[in-house]
Amino acid sequence: MLFTFVSKRFKKRFILITTMTNKNLQEELPKARLPYASSGQADAALDVFRRLVPKKIDKDFVVANNLATASNAFRVLDFYKWFGIIDANGNVVNEIADKLRLIGKEREDYIKQLIQKGYNELFSSVKLSQARKEDIVNFFISRYKFTHIQAK
């Protein structure tokens, strides 16, 4: 259940979240910002779980592990949030992290599942086997209000 109130003193909006599991929280809150990480950053972000068992991932973690510079750490954090690897507070979702430690075909299949879930709207809107690059770019322009440069 979500409750909102406005503080007269600070005039800011706060959201209190009561008794929700991570799954319920992800279903009720708006989806994270669409990731804008490079393919190298995405690969490195996923490979972290092969060598580390982080409990929390934040800007400092991203920079310390050479996943991105401080000014670009948000890209990697958005990537993690978009695919549900971390929650809104940066806590690692153990069920996902455990599967990212797998090797071989099982790991590849799981990453494919993450991608299909993360981009479900794209996969259900555009038939990728017949899509042209413009179809995918136009999806991001119309759905996420990207400019054509961002959508590429």
Side-chain angles (χ1 to χ4, degrees), residues 29-129:
L29 292 177
K31 190 102 168 134
R33 181 172 50 191
L34 189 68
Y36 199 64
S38 70
S39 60
Q41 288 171 327
D43 287 343
L46 294 173
D47 285 344
V48 159
F49 295 96
R50 289 181 167 180
R51 56 187 171 83
L52 299 172
V53 184
K55 297 282 184 221
K56 188 171 185 117
I57 297 178
D58 58 12
K59 179 181 176 180
D60 294 335
F61 178 91
V62 170
V63 173
N65 286 281
N66 297 317
L67 302 177
T69 62
S71 61
N72 286 318
F74 75 93
R75 294 174 187 231
V76 175
L77 293 171
D78 287 350
F79 175 85
Y80 282 136
K81 289 175 188 172
W82 182 264
F83 292 105
I85 298 168
I86 63 173
D87 65 17
N89 297 318
N91 299 309
V92 173
V93 177
N94 291 325
E95 299 82 27
I96 294 175
D98 290 345
K99 291 182 180 179
L100 290 174
R101 286 186 196 87
L102 298 172
I103 61 171
K105 185 166 173 23
E106 284 184 66
R107 183 175 193 269
E108 289 174 19
D109 289 345
Y110 185 70
I111 291 171
K112 285 179 189 176
Q113 288 175 7
L114 279 180
I115 292 168
Q116 288 174 340
K117 183 179 176 186
Y119 290 106
N120 185 40
E121 288 182 68
L122 172 64
F123 290 117
S124 63
S125 299
V126 178
K127 188 170 184 176
L128 294 180
S129 63

Side-chain angles (χ1 to χ4, degrees), residues 1-6 13-20:
M1 210 185 271
L2 296 177
F3 299 97
T4 61
F5 67 92
V6 178
R13 191 173 201 187
F14 294 93
I15 299 177
L16 295 177
I17 302 168
T18 60
T19 342
M20 295 180 118

